[in-house]
Amino acid sequence: MFEAFFRPRQVAVIGASSQPGKVGYDVLYNLVRRGYGGQVFPVNPNADTILDTPVVKQIGQLPPGLDLAVVAVKAKLVPQAVRELAAIGTQAVVVVSAGFKEVGGRGRELENELKQVVRDSPGLRLIGPNCIGVMDTTSNLNASFAGTMPRPGRLGFFSQSGAMGLAILDWSLDNNIGFSKFISLGNKVDVTEVEILELMAADPETKVILGYLEAVEDGRRFMRVAREVTRVKPVVLVKSGVTSAGARAASSHTGALAGADAAYDAAFRQCGVLRVHTMRQLFGLATALAHQSLPSGPGLAILTNSGGPGIICADAAEGHGLHLAVLRPEVADELRGFLPAIASVYNPVDITGGAPAELYRRSLEVIQDDPGVNATVVIMTPTATLKAEDVARELTQASISNKPVFTVMMGSHSVHQGRDLCMRHGLPTYEFPEDAVAALAGMLDYQRWRTQKPREPELVSGDKNKVAAIIAAARRQGRRNLGETEARECFAAYGVPVARSLPAATSEEAVAAARELGLPVVMKIDSPAISHKSDVGGVMVGLASQGAVAEAFHEMTSRIRRVQPDAWVRGVLVQEMVRGGRETIVGLSRDPQFGPLLMFGLGGIYVEVLKDVSFRVAPIARVEAEEMIRGIRSFALLRGVRGESPADLAALAGVLVAISSLAHDFPDIAEADINPLLVLPRGQGAVAVDARIALTPAKGE
Ligand code: ADP
Ligand code: MG
């Protein structure tokens, strides 16, 4: 498949045109005039030669077993053309014609028809439709209607959006960015980002894979493949656009917080894909990865000729979790030996505005030798006497180790040549210090991914029969919400410690329950119609005497009767009171692309306000559970502040793994919340005091 698309021996253009400006002309032009060395067959029933190339009248007359065909005929003729191509054993097809799913109506039908043709043709793979085409700078293949050919380079780029692809191509020419492959995916009826990842992973010319994606087709498959590919080479993606995830019913806390993007963020992270949010970040990181070796640690040195940019750089570094290396005294001494007296020889090293270009090189050589330095950002601000191209020349001649170096040339007009020189020597260069730091941070993330042990999900074996019976009972009654007691039993079946609770229908039963559980107790309204109990005064904590329990029963049931007269109230739940726990939330929702999505955060009634939560696609490994816990902003509260004892983080991780396993075993569970899970001090465990489970719609619902 790789050879047929990118190193074809022959290419046919179906719908080749002799009229400049038509797609069928541009594609042919790119194939015959841009250095591609293989055979080209224009196909057109009404012409003899186009662009000095003899025309073939019908697809049936093309050589059997054709490598590649580019289809540029009207949308309604495409399915038939592909059928005929399949009949002669064509291996690879790129459909550049538009007028499919993207126009709706009849276009959608045509796309389905095309999909079926591909499905019926096992030997044929298809890119598109509605794409620009593919380019390969090694074989000088330009099977597209783009107006230019990219520069050769080490980046393999794919784009779901054609317009974005064209803009990037144009921009890359002015910015010294080179590509090994340039692939426009279009509507993805057959080949998706997953095959492209596999192709580029195996391509020796591609060092970094980058892409612009609007959605992945099959989230689980994407994760499986990406996890392997990122072991071999870095993958950097911009993912834009909202998914249908945003529209899903969100009745639980987790559903409300998961939003459209959380699953992509989590999934990319879990398979080592570096996610960036702007095209600038994409190329900033990709050029660094393509030309520099990975940093082996977070120690950053800054070399500058002006204070302000150095400080901005240092601040940005801190924001990314990098730290400024403390230079060794010998290093500072050596710098002092040749820098101006007013220079700063501590990190950031400021060689001052009057310093000549040569001092950049000498300083960089010395700084890079410091064992605490893992990477250097070199910032230059042009002055009356200092030219960017001179600094660039000195830097490219520096004899330095393979620690990464990033250059920042402040300004625009006067530094153009300097930047150009840096880029041509594989020295990544940035407009602003924070761009350089962002690229370094991305490299460090990738370095950590590459060196960490592959993670295997941990699955605990719960009491499956018990959970299955509870779900079946609810299904029989046509219910999608489990009762709080049922939900608690499901969690308990997977080893989650739950607060002991007893139902009570009268105040006498409530008092008896409290006696059995031991005072003080908590009382909660027990009604399938009420899901947020404290909103309606349905939770009373700290009931310390039998009298208080009896009184609470009357108060609570009459209050509920008042505020929600229609709600069917079974009675109350009397629950053991858990003291000294920190409130957290553990939740589960289903993402349409990636499946079970696990959430963790500080819980209680403020969770929707603070939105301090982290996500992973389940099933997870225990280290991933630990990372989820450490990943929230207010993690310090769990570790303990001001002499507080730390929370039982091991118990917490255990609960996350348990819910992950439950979600894995029961696809019927659409959403689940433990809010709160009260996490006790270290060694004392964690207890679920409120539980919710909602099932997926039953078949036919
Ligand atoms: P809901 O979320 O439906 O309002 P919860 O059962 O979560 O009801 O109770 C609300 C709050 O009451 C919890 O967030 C927690 O602060 C407190 N609470 C509930 N049950 C207990 C318990 N068993 N021990 C200690 N505090 C509890
Ligand atoms: Mg709750």
Side-chain angles (χ1 to χ4, degrees):
M1 168 179 172
F2 179 88
E3 299 287 324
F5 272 113
F6 301 107
R7 305 285 148 80
R9 289 160 301 177
Q10 328 88 6
V11 187
V13 181
I14 317 304
S17 165
S18 51
Q19 261 172 283
K22 287 210 151 183
V23 168
Y25 177 89
D26 292 342
V27 172
L28 185 64
Y29 181 93
N30 281 338
L31 284 166
V32 297
R33 293 280 193 275
R34 293 198 191 272
Y36 166 63
Q39 258 185 308
V40 180
F41 302 102
V43 178
N44 181 329
N46 307 314
D48 294 322
T49 61
I50 309 175
L51 285 163
D52 307 324
T53 316
V55 169
V56 173
K57 302 278 181 191
Q58 293 172 15
I59 292 173
Q61 292 160 4
L62 289 165
L66 180 77
D67 278 350
L68 176 64
V70 184
V71 176
V73 297
K74 284 202 192 68
K76 65 171 194 285
L77 303 176
V78 169
Q80 180 55 25
V82 175
R83 235 175 253 128
E84 290 174 28
L85 286 165
I88 60 160
T90 307
Q91 298 178 51
V93 175
V94 174
V95 179
V96 297
S97 321
F100 291 86
K101 185 177 70 183
E102 75 282 5
V103 299
R106 172 87 181 108
R108 190 173 291 280
E109 288 168 28
L110 278 173
E111 181 150 329
N112 288 336
E113 191 185 339
L114 180 58
K115 222 177 241 175
Q116 194 53 50
V117 174
V118 176
R119 234 177 261 144
D120 295 341
S121 320
L124 177 148
R125 298 307 307 258
L126 186 144
I127 291 181
N130 187 30
C131 74
I132 293 163
V134 302
M135 304 170 216
D136 181 311
T137 54
T138 310
S139 57
N140 281 327
L141 174 81
N142 188 336
S144 84
F145 61 87
T148 44
M149 184 76 186
R151 286 171 193 263
R154 302 171 177 180
L155 309 182
F157 178 75
F158 67 90
S159 177
Q160 187 169 350
S161 147
M164 188 63 96
L166 285 175
I168 292 294
L169 187 57
D170 193 55
W171 171 86
S172 71
L173 296 172
D174 262 359
N175 286 275
N176 272 299
I177 307 278
F179 297 99
S180 55
K181 295 200 163 38
F182 200 94
I183 301 164
S184 164
L185 284 177
N187 296 3
K188 306 194 278 197
V189 300
D190 178 30
V191 172
T192 69
E193 54 283 342
V194 171
E195 284 85 13
I196 298 301
L197 285 181
E198 286 171 331
L199 280 178
M200 301 226 239
D203 175 23
E205 313 298 335
T206 299
K207 220 180 144 197
V208 184
I209 302 170
L210 49 165
Y212 169 84
L213 267 183
E214 276 150 16
V216 304
E217 293 305 308
D218 176 346
R220 304 299 290 196
R221 184 163 163 246
F222 175 87
M223 286 184 79
R224 214 166 42 242
V225 170
R227 195 176 278 138
E228 300 300 317
V229 171
T230 53
R231 294 263 154 221
V232 184
K233 50 186 86 163
V235 177
V236 193
L237 298 182
V238 173
K239 154 75 185 72
S240 73
V242 281
T243 64
S244 53
R248 102 193 102 191
S251 58
S252 66
H253 297 282
T254 310
L257 285 160
D261 218 41
Y264 274 98
D265 241 15
F268 283 9
R269 181 196 308 266
Q270 285 173 268
C271 56
V273 168
L274 301 166
R275 183 178 190 185
V276 291
H277 294 277
T278 65
M279 298 314 271
R280 184 154 120 182
Q281 289 171 347
L282 180 73
F283 285 94
L285 178 52
T287 29
L289 286 163
H291 297 285
Q292 300 278 302
S293 44
L294 293 173
S296 50
L300 171 68
I302 300 169
L303 173 59
T304 176
N305 66 341
S306 54
I311 292 167
I312 288 177
C313 188
D315 286 348
E318 198 182 296
H320 280 287
L322 302 163
H323 67 76
L324 283 200
V326 178
L327 297 180
R328 297 223 163 156
E330 313 84 272
V331 172
D333 283 344
E334 204 179 333
L335 288 170
R336 208 177 277 117
F338 60 83
L339 287 179
I342 54 165
S344 163
V345 295
Y346 303 102
N347 200 6
V349 173
D350 185 349
I351 65 174
T352 71
E358 181 215 348
L359 293 190
Y360 266 107
R361 176 179 51 75
R362 292 180 64 187
S363 305
L364 179 61
E365 288 172 347
V366 173
I367 292 169
Q368 280 254 316
D369 272 348
D370 190 305
V373 171
N374 303 114
T376 310
V377 174
V378 181
I379 305 169
M380 80 87 58
T381 308
T383 66
T385 51
L386 188 68
K387 287 207 172 60
E389 57 268 36
D390 294 336
V391 174
R393 194 168 307 108
E394 290 287 343
L395 291 175
T396 57
Q397 286 164 6
S399 59
I400 46 177
S401 57
N402 62 358
K403 294 177 186 175
V405 175
F406 304 80
T407 64
V408 179
M409 305 210 156
M410 305 286 288
S412 175
H413 184 69
S414 67
V415 298
H416 220 84
Q417 282 185 40
R419 278 197 199 137
D420 217 53
L421 195 67
C422 284
M423 285 297 273
R424 269 188 279 127
H425 281 81
L427 208 53
T429 184
Y430 301 86
E431 265 180 85
F432 298 106
E434 51 274 34
D435 297 337
V437 167
L440 171 58
M443 288 181 97
L444 200 61
D445 279 348
Y446 185 58
Q447 160 72 5
R448 291 201 186 106
W449 167 258
R450 278 281 288 264
T451 46
Q452 98 195 1
K453 275 214 303 279
R455 278 117 185 239
E456 288 302 324
E458 180 176 334
L459 291 170
V460 302
S461 48
D463 185 347
K464 282 193 198 164
N465 293 338
K466 171 132 203 199
V467 176
I470 292 172
I471 291 177
R475 290 287 193 211
R476 270 199 302 278
Q477 296 168 3
R479 279 188 294 133
R480 279 178 50 194
N481 281 323
L482 300 190
E484 124 102 356
T485 306
E486 293 169 316
R488 232 174 325 106
E489 283 175 1
C490 289
F491 294 137
Y494 274 70
V496 176
V498 297
R500 286 192 301 144
S501 313
L502 295 169
T506 63
S507 69
E508 291 75 29
E509 281 177 26
V511 169
R515 258 207 312 265
E516 189 175 333
L517 294 168
L519 292 164
V521 291
V522 177
M523 186 178 290
K524 300 182 183 182
I525 198 69
D526 184 7
S527 161
I530 300 169
S531 60
H532 297 299
K533 300 175 287 296
S534 34
D535 284 356
V536 292
V539 178
M540 291 171 85
V541 299
L543 305 174
S545 67
Q546 297 186 22
V549 171
E551 202 177 310
F553 181 89
H554 293 299
E555 200 187 315
M556 187 176 287
T557 46
S558 60
R559 184 184 317 135
I560 300 298
R561 227 171 285 129
R562 225 176 23 253
V563 296
Q564 244 171 296
D566 308 335
W568 173 55
V569 174
R570 254 190 297 247
V572 299
L573 278 184
V574 182
Q575 192 172 62
E576 71 175 298
M577 169 94 188
V578 180
R579 272 171 295 189
R582 268 163 271 198
E583 298 212 3
T584 64
I585 176 169
V586 174
L588 174 80
S589 60
R590 296 262 167 197
D591 182 83
Q593 249 79 35
F594 296 100
L597 187 64
L598 201 61
M599 183 185 86
F600 168 72
L602 282 194
I605 53 179
Y606 297 127
V607 59
E608 270 113 344
V609 180
L610 298 174
K611 295 197 169 63
D612 187 12
V613 288
S614 57
F615 294 90
R616 291 292 184 279
V617 176
I620 55 168
R622 190 162 291 256
V623 281
E624 289 176 312
E626 289 160 2
E627 283 170 3
M628 282 182 85
I629 297 167
R630 282 199 304 271
I632 61 169
R633 288 192 304 279
S634 35
F635 172 62
L637 297 179
L638 292 175
R639 211 172 30 199
V641 288
R642 311 239 158 148
E644 269 177 329
S645 54
D648 196 331
L649 301 180
L652 181 51
V655 172
L656 285 166
V657 168
I659 302 304
S660 151
S661 308
L662 178 66
H664 174 83
D665 291 351
F666 291 94
D668 274 40
I669 298 180
E671 293 181 3
D673 269 334
I674 302 178
N675 185 26
L677 174 78
L678 296 175
V679 188
L680 299 167
R682 188 192 287 157
Q684 295 173 40
V687 189
V689 302
D690 187 20
R692 239 186 80 77
I693 288 180
L695 303 178
T696 53
K699 283 192 193 71
E701 218 179 294

